[in-house]
Amino acid sequence: MAEPRSHTQARDFWTATVLWLGAGSVLALLAWILGDLLLQGVGRLSWGFLTEPPSDAGRSGGVAPMIISTLWILAICLATAVPLGLAAALFLTELASRRTGRWVRHSLDALAAVPSIVFGLFGNALFCHVLGLGYSILSGGLTLACMVLPLVVRTTEAGLSNVAQEIRQGAAALALSRVTTLRTLVLPAAAPALLVGLVLGIGRALAETAALIFTSGYVDRFPESIHDSGRSLSIHIYDLSMNVPAGNDTAYATALVLVVLLIASQQLATWGIHRWIQPERSVR
Amino acid sequence: MTTQLSPPAIAETQTPDSVSTPDWAFRATDLRIAYEGKTVLQDVDLNIARRRITALIGPSGCGKTTFLQSLNRLTDMIPRCTVDGSLLLSEQVFKEQGFGDLDLGSPELDVVRLRRRVGMIFQRPNPFPLSIRRNLELPLREHGVKDPELLRRRIEKSLRDVGLWDEVADRLEQTATALSGGQQQRLCLARALVLEPEILLMDEPTSALDPLAAAVVEDLIQSLRDRYTIVIVTHNLAQARRLADDVAVFWVREGTGRVIETGTVAQIFDRPQDPDTEAYVRGLRG
């Protein structure tokens, strides 16, 4: 029996309202954060802020060494996590038996749930001490790679296994090799998921503070190599707002730089993956 | 009991059991296929004649598609699928002779050699998400055709063979997934033909198409008659009657699929021996 029309309409109206409210508050929150950063941080921004080292414990001067350190840490993290993650995801979808696959997936999920401070302690023990890398950008980047890895593997794997079985069957029926099938058909189809994993990984790596304090350290000089200690932007923000009186303005300005860097590197990743994964052009 | 599918000229004058034709493409003996230990098809004794169209008919879930997939070892892709018994591919279908019949049950089987001679068309058109040209170029390049001029000629020929050339000649670089369903299916047929196989396996190739597109694809299959060995699964009895030379009827008995009757299209549709076959072809059962 149909409900009275007015009742149905009222319910539709309220459902729509709730959904709009939900979406609206997410947008409002984002706008608030960005607006707050802009308002409080933009006054401190200048060309010098981006190109000079800090002085007076960060109250004046710029954040140039932190930008360099952050980019190095991110580069090492991605250069390790992306190939490893892709290989692990391919192993899970193409090779692993059901039992092995389940075991690896459980481990990855457990790894993803480990708090970052624990990764910091682990990275400190393994990379800084056991492997003798000390407090360095290399230690920090590798620790972040361990942290980001489960994220990259799981999103990439989801993308790979979503590639239509019909495509795989079609390729097999034409006796295409596994390598050709993967390279030409499966990877391009899984590219969007790969990208999501990469973007999430970049976000997590750039935002990380706790794991880096124990591994890359917080020396605020220009790093001379990846074996030097280097302070990331996120640690700089933490230090300015917690340990430096009257450091708040600079903390806001640094946060603004970090957000811009985040958006820029995610855009770069999007562009890069589309370039890389495009199927090669046909021969005329 | 082993029944033979035989040419009509002989079959019209003799009973099928006494006919033995040497010109077969596939020969299944006591074939059994199981998924995860559960038998889905058993006691299959079936010869599939060369350069004829063999229709596999019967209700859903009686193992027709599974049997079809065992013919090019696509069953390898199904986890824990086992194929027992004997399944041979005649050496006559190969260009180079003298290697003997191919044992499709052998774990050392060279599936590349097999699948280059045995093409397949699926129920839902499955063009690759690449350009029309790349869809055809990919298998050719994979199997060693690199010369640009030769590639161009073979691509054009296979597109002409499926009547698609005039429709797509000016947009070969466009993505194949933008074609209509019927065009996609013809492209898939072209993609199978481009490797110059001798055998084509078709799994309900027209059932996902609208009636007009289905008619075009069916005419196309007609045009391949005599040049190729075609094994087609279909639920469309009228189509089986129009297309097939030989028919094998699959049916579920005692919980597993079996082949209950084989013969020429005239024998199966006009003088069926098995009561289930009779009811099925008259539209009373199945």
Side-chain angles (χ1 to χ4, degrees):
Chain A
M1 209 167 69
E3 285 177 277
R5 194 174 154 73
S6 59
H7 191 114
T8 317
Q9 280 175 337
R11 215 171 49 175
D12 282 357
F13 171 77
W14 285 113
T15 310
T17 308
V18 168
L19 297 183
W20 273 101
L21 271 176
S25 45
V26 170
L27 279 179
L29 192 64
L30 184 68
W32 187 8
I33 295 176
L34 289 179
D36 193 36
L37 279 182
L38 270 174
L39 274 179
Q40 309 228 30
V42 85
R44 214 26 206 89
L45 274 189
S46 64
W47 181 244
F49 189 73
L50 299 176
T51 55
E52 287 166 17
S55 57
D56 190 16
R59 286 185 201 90
S60 54
V63 291
M66 292 76 178
I67 296 178
I68 304 295
S69 300
T70 304
L71 289 177
W72 268 117
I73 293 170
L74 181 65
I76 290 168
C77 164
L78 294 182
T80 317
V82 169
L84 268 182
L86 187 57
L90 283 172
F91 169 78
L92 283 174
T93 53
E94 309 297 321
L95 291 180
S97 71
R98 218 182 286 185
R99 182 185 291 182
T100 318
R102 205 162 43 214
W103 194 80
V104 175
R105 283 185 195 97
H106 277 315
S107 320
L108 284 171
D109 290 345
L111 211 57
V114 172
S116 60
I117 191 95
V118 177
F119 273 106
L121 291 174
F122 162 78
N124 181 270
L126 178 67
F127 298 117
C128 300
H129 293 112
V130 175
L131 296 179
L133 301 174
Y135 285 93
S136 65
I137 286 173
L138 192 57
S139 298
L142 292 176
T143 306
L144 283 193
C146 300
M147 227 176 82
V148 164
L149 198 58
L151 212 61
V152 176
V153 179
R154 288 299 249 148
T155 44
T156 308
E157 187 214 346
L160 289 172
S161 49
N162 274 343
V163 174
Q165 186 64 15
E166 285 140 28
I167 299 285
R168 292 173 188 271
Q169 279 189 330
L174 289 164
L176 300 188
S177 72
R178 210 164 201 168
V179 173
T180 306
T181 308
L182 278 178
R183 196 171 53 89
T184 323
L185 302 171
V186 175
L187 281 181
L194 238 117
L195 185 63
V196 170
L198 190 59
V199 165
L200 288 176
I202 290 174
R204 190 142 187 220
L206 282 182
E208 190 46 47
T209 314
L212 289 177
I213 290 180
F214 296 111
T215 51
S216 66
Y218 40 84
V219 174
D220 61 1
R221 285 190 308 270
F222 274 106
E224 283 175 14
S225 77
I226 55 173
H227 298 290
D228 275 0
S229 169
R231 182 190 283 201
S232 75
L233 285 166
S234 54
I235 293 180
H236 193 51
I237 296 168
Y238 168 77
D239 192 51
L240 284 170
S241 58
M242 302 304 284
N243 302 333
V244 180
N248 259 356
D249 285 355
T250 320
Y252 269 106
T254 312
L256 201 55
V257 172
L258 182 60
V259 169
V260 171
L261 198 66
L262 178 72
I263 294 169
S265 48
Q266 290 178 338
Q267 288 301 316
L268 189 70
T270 310
W271 176 81
I273 212 153
H274 281 297
R275 278 297 298 263
W276 170 60
I277 214 83
Q278 282 292 321
E280 80 251 46
R281 289 179 185 261
S282 56
V283 178
R284 285 237 157 228
Chain B
M1 187 184 75
T2 302
T3 38
Q4 306 277 346
L5 297 183
S6 45
I10 308 169
E12 291 303 320
T13 54
Q14 298 180 40
T15 58
D17 284 326
S18 65
V19 175
S20 167
T21 159
D23 208 13
W24 50 272
F26 291 103
R27 169 172 285 175
T29 315
D30 198 18
L31 196 72
R32 188 184 84 95
I33 304 180
Y35 294 150
E36 314 214 333
K38 186 186 180 304
T39 304
V40 291
L41 190 63
Q42 68 178 29
D43 301 335
V44 178
D45 294 302
L46 187 61
N47 278 4
I48 290 173
R50 260 190 100 198
R51 311 226 169 189
R52 288 166 66 85
I53 300 181
T54 302
L56 312 180
I57 64 171
S60 294
C62 55
K64 302 182 299 293
T65 294
T66 304
F67 176 72
L68 195 73
Q69 290 185 341
S70 72
L71 298 181
N72 69 345
R73 280 274 292 258
L74 223 53
T75 41
D76 290 0
M77 292 183 79
I78 306 164
R80 299 212 263 167
C81 174
T82 53
V83 181
D84 300 316
S86 157
L87 183 58
L88 298 177
L89 175 62
S90 167
E91 69 164 333
Q92 294 180 9
V93 307
F94 291 98
K95 284 173 182 163
E96 67 283 11
Q97 302 286 308
F99 291 94
D101 299 334
L102 204 61
D103 176 6
L104 299 191
S106 163
E108 292 99 50
L109 172 76
D110 179 1
V111 292
V112 173
R113 187 160 169 257
L114 166 67
R115 288 173 186 168
R116 286 182 65 165
R117 297 307 291 158
V118 183
M120 189 163 197
I121 316 296
F122 297 83
Q123 180 174 7
R124 275 182 45 194
N126 60 349
F128 298 138
L130 306 169
S131 71
I132 296 169
R133 179 201 303 281
R134 285 280 294 153
N135 261 276
L136 302 169
E137 195 181 81
L138 188 65
L140 282 173
R141 281 183 167 272
E142 178 81 1
H143 297 296
V145 182
K146 309 272 180 190
D147 175 47
E149 180 53 28
L150 187 58
L151 280 170
R152 199 193 59 71
R153 265 189 288 135
R154 283 185 66 172
I155 288 170
E156 179 176 339
K157 180 176 182 307
S158 68
L159 284 173
R160 284 193 189 281
D161 280 348
V162 299
L164 210 50
W165 177 253
D166 293 333
E167 293 166 50
V168 303
D170 55 348
R171 47 176 174 146
L172 289 178
E173 307 308 329
Q174 286 180 19
T175 175
T177 46
L179 295 171
S180 74
Q183 289 175 321
Q184 287 189 16
Q185 192 64 307
R186 282 188 282 152
L187 179 65
C188 292
L189 187 52
R191 193 176 62 186
L193 293 178
V194 83
L195 290 180
E196 298 175 350
E198 139 112 22
I199 299 166
L200 290 169
L201 309 177
M202 303 185 177
D203 189 0
E204 298 189 57
T206 62
S207 69
L209 307 179
D210 69 76
L212 287 178
V216 172
V217 170
E218 192 181 311
D219 287 348
L220 199 55
I221 299 170
Q222 283 284 14
S223 75
L224 302 174
R225 177 184 295 280
D226 300 331
R227 285 186 289 150
Y228 294 91
T229 304
I230 295 176
V231 188
I232 179 170
V233 169
T234 180
H235 283 119
N236 182 338
L237 292 177
Q239 182 178 64
R241 197 165 195 158
R242 286 191 299 266
L243 281 178
D245 299 302
D246 304 313
V247 179
V249 185
F250 285 65
W251 205 266
V252 173
R253 293 231 171 116
E254 294 155 30
T256 55
R258 294 153 202 269
V259 176
I260 57 169
E261 192 167 358
T262 58
T264 62
V265 70
Q267 287 169 340
I268 295 295
F269 282 94
D270 301 333
R271 301 184 297 280
Q273 303 296 307
D274 188 284
D276 283 330
T277 305
E278 182 170 10
Y280 184 67
V281 299
R282 293 196 199 296
L284 302 175
R285 290 189 65 182

mmCIF file of all heavy atoms in Angstrom, chain B residues 29-43:
data_model
loop_
_atom_site.group_PDB
_atom_site.id
_atom_site.type_symbol
_atom_site.label_atom_id
_atom_site.label_comp_id
_atom_site.label_asym_id
_atom_site.label_seq_id
_atom_site.Cartn_x
_atom_site.Cartn_y
_atom_site.Cartn_z
ATOM 1 N N THR B 29 37.281 -37.523 -24.959
ATOM 2 C CA THR B 29 36.959 -38.881 -24.553
ATOM 3 C C THR B 29 36.863 -38.945 -23.036
ATOM 4 O O THR B 29 37.831 -38.613 -22.352
ATOM 5 C CB THR B 29 38.036 -39.865 -25.047
ATOM 6 O OG1 THR B 29 38.346 -39.576 -26.406
ATOM 7 C CG2 THR B 29 37.563 -41.299 -24.912
ATOM 8 N N ASP B 30 35.688 -39.325 -22.550
ATOM 9 C CA ASP B 30 35.484 -39.499 -21.113
ATOM 10 C C ASP B 30 35.944 -38.251 -20.334
ATOM 11 O O ASP B 30 36.597 -38.344 -19.299
ATOM 12 C CB ASP B 30 36.251 -40.738 -20.615
ATOM 13 C CG ASP B 30 35.718 -41.205 -19.263
ATOM 14 O OD1 ASP B 30 34.580 -40.805 -18.921
ATOM 15 O OD2 ASP B 30 36.438 -41.934 -18.564
ATOM 16 N N LEU B 31 35.576 -37.098 -20.857
ATOM 17 C CA LEU B 31 36.026 -35.833 -20.252
ATOM 18 C C LEU B 31 35.207 -35.524 -19.003
ATOM 19 O O LEU B 31 33.986 -35.718 -18.965
ATOM 20 C CB LEU B 31 35.863 -34.707 -21.278
ATOM 21 C CG LEU B 31 36.626 -33.419 -20.968
ATOM 22 C CD1 LEU B 31 38.117 -33.635 -21.181
ATOM 23 C CD2 LEU B 31 36.128 -32.288 -21.866
ATOM 24 N N ARG B 32 35.925 -35.065 -17.967
ATOM 25 C CA ARG B 32 35.248 -34.677 -16.730
ATOM 26 C C ARG B 32 35.855 -33.359 -16.279
ATOM 27 O O ARG B 32 37.073 -33.196 -16.228
ATOM 28 C CB ARG B 32 35.469 -35.728 -15.649
ATOM 29 C CG ARG B 32 34.640 -35.517 -14.389
ATOM 30 C CD ARG B 32 34.994 -36.558 -13.342
ATOM 31 N NE ARG B 32 36.169 -36.142 -12.588
ATOM 32 C CZ ARG B 32 36.129 -35.501 -11.427
ATOM 33 N NH1 ARG B 32 34.969 -35.220 -10.872
ATOM 34 N NH2 ARG B 32 37.236 -35.136 -10.823
ATOM 35 N N ILE B 33 35.006 -32.381 -15.950
ATOM 36 C CA ILE B 33 35.491 -31.088 -15.474
ATOM 37 C C ILE B 33 34.880 -30.798 -14.110
ATOM 38 O O ILE B 33 33.673 -31.000 -13.906
ATOM 39 C CB ILE B 33 35.146 -29.951 -16.466
ATOM 40 C CG1 ILE B 33 35.703 -30.279 -17.857
ATOM 41 C CG2 ILE B 33 35.703 -28.617 -15.974
ATOM 42 C CD1 ILE B 33 35.429 -29.240 -18.908
ATOM 43 N N ALA B 34 35.724 -30.388 -13.162
ATOM 44 C CA ALA B 34 35.244 -30.144 -11.793
ATOM 45 C C ALA B 34 35.743 -28.791 -11.301
ATOM 46 O O ALA B 34 36.846 -28.365 -11.637
ATOM 47 C CB ALA B 34 35.736 -31.253 -10.859
ATOM 48 N N TYR B 35 34.913 -28.099 -10.531
ATOM 49 C CA TYR B 35 35.328 -26.883 -9.827
ATOM 50 C C TYR B 35 35.423 -27.207 -8.346
ATOM 51 O O TYR B 35 34.447 -27.642 -7.752
ATOM 52 C CB TYR B 35 34.296 -25.753 -9.963
ATOM 53 C CG TYR B 35 34.112 -25.205 -11.347
ATOM 54 C CD1 TYR B 35 32.886 -24.692 -11.739
ATOM 55 C CD2 TYR B 35 35.149 -25.172 -12.261
ATOM 56 C CE1 TYR B 35 32.689 -24.158 -12.994
ATOM 57 C CE2 TYR B 35 34.952 -24.643 -13.530
ATOM 58 C CZ TYR B 35 33.726 -24.145 -13.888
ATOM 59 O OH TYR B 35 33.530 -23.615 -15.139
ATOM 60 N N GLU B 36 36.569 -26.969 -7.751
ATOM 61 C CA GLU B 36 36.768 -27.202 -6.321
ATOM 62 C C GLU B 36 36.240 -28.568 -5.908
ATOM 63 O O GLU B 36 35.567 -28.705 -4.893
ATOM 64 C CB GLU B 36 36.071 -26.109 -5.504
ATOM 65 C CG GLU B 36 36.347 -24.721 -6.041
ATOM 66 C CD GLU B 36 36.428 -23.674 -4.961
ATOM 67 O OE1 GLU B 36 35.797 -23.888 -3.914
ATOM 68 O OE2 GLU B 36 37.136 -22.670 -5.155
ATOM 69 N N GLY B 37 36.535 -29.577 -6.732
ATOM 70 C CA GLY B 37 36.138 -30.937 -6.398
ATOM 71 C C GLY B 37 34.713 -31.302 -6.779
ATOM 72 O O GLY B 37 34.331 -32.464 -6.741
ATOM 73 N N LYS B 38 33.906 -30.312 -7.157
ATOM 74 C CA LYS B 38 32.518 -30.619 -7.524
ATOM 75 C C LYS B 38 32.426 -30.778 -9.036
ATOM 76 O O LYS B 38 32.750 -29.867 -9.792
ATOM 77 C CB LYS B 38 31.590 -29.487 -7.069
ATOM 78 C CG LYS B 38 30.127 -29.825 -7.294
ATOM 79 C CD LYS B 38 29.221 -28.650 -6.974
ATOM 80 C CE LYS B 38 27.763 -29.001 -7.203
ATOM 81 N NZ LYS B 38 27.462 -29.475 -8.551
ATOM 82 N N THR B 39 31.993 -31.968 -9.487
ATOM 83 C CA THR B 39 31.930 -32.244 -10.921
ATOM 84 C C THR B 39 30.807 -31.435 -11.566
ATOM 85 O O THR B 39 29.669 -31.470 -11.109
ATOM 86 C CB THR B 39 31.675 -33.738 -11.159
ATOM 87 O OG1 THR B 39 32.708 -34.465 -10.493
ATOM 88 C CG2 THR B 39 31.696 -34.067 -12.629
ATOM 89 N N VAL B 40 31.132 -30.688 -12.603
ATOM 90 C CA VAL B 40 30.089 -29.936 -13.294
ATOM 91 C C VAL B 40 29.759 -30.555 -14.657
ATOM 92 O O VAL B 40 28.702 -30.312 -15.214
ATOM 93 C CB VAL B 40 30.478 -28.452 -13.493
ATOM 94 C CG1 VAL B 40 30.507 -27.722 -12.175
ATOM 95 C CG2 VAL B 40 31.805 -28.323 -14.211
ATOM 96 N N LEU B 41 30.689 -31.378 -15.142
ATOM 97 C CA LEU B 41 30.468 -31.971 -16.462
ATOM 98 C C LEU B 41 31.189 -33.308 -16.465
ATOM 99 O O LEU B 41 32.342 -33.382 -16.032
ATOM 100 C CB LEU B 41 31.076 -31.036 -17.529
ATOM 101 C CG LEU B 41 30.793 -31.286 -18.992
ATOM 102 C CD1 LEU B 41 29.301 -31.142 -19.260
ATOM 103 C CD2 LEU B 41 31.558 -30.283 -19.855
ATOM 104 N N GLN B 42 30.514 -34.395 -16.933
ATOM 105 C CA GLN B 42 31.223 -35.664 -16.968
ATOM 106 C C GLN B 42 30.764 -36.548 -18.119
ATOM 107 O O GLN B 42 29.761 -36.255 -18.771
ATOM 108 C CB GLN B 42 31.085 -36.403 -15.631
ATOM 109 C CG GLN B 42 29.689 -36.892 -15.328
ATOM 110 C CD GLN B 42 29.638 -37.645 -14.008
ATOM 111 O OE1 GLN B 42 30.418 -37.379 -13.107
ATOM 112 N NE2 GLN B 42 28.705 -38.580 -13.905
ATOM 113 N N ASP B 43 31.524 -37.614 -18.358
ATOM 114 C CA ASP B 43 31.222 -38.587 -19.417
ATOM 115 C C ASP B 43 31.048 -37.940 -20.785
ATOM 116 O O ASP B 43 30.174 -38.333 -21.556
ATOM 117 C CB ASP B 43 29.936 -39.388 -19.089
ATOM 118 C CG ASP B 43 30.055 -40.146 -17.791
ATOM 119 O OD1 ASP B 43 31.202 -40.450 -17.408
ATOM 120 O OD2 ASP B 43 29.018 -40.419 -17.169
#
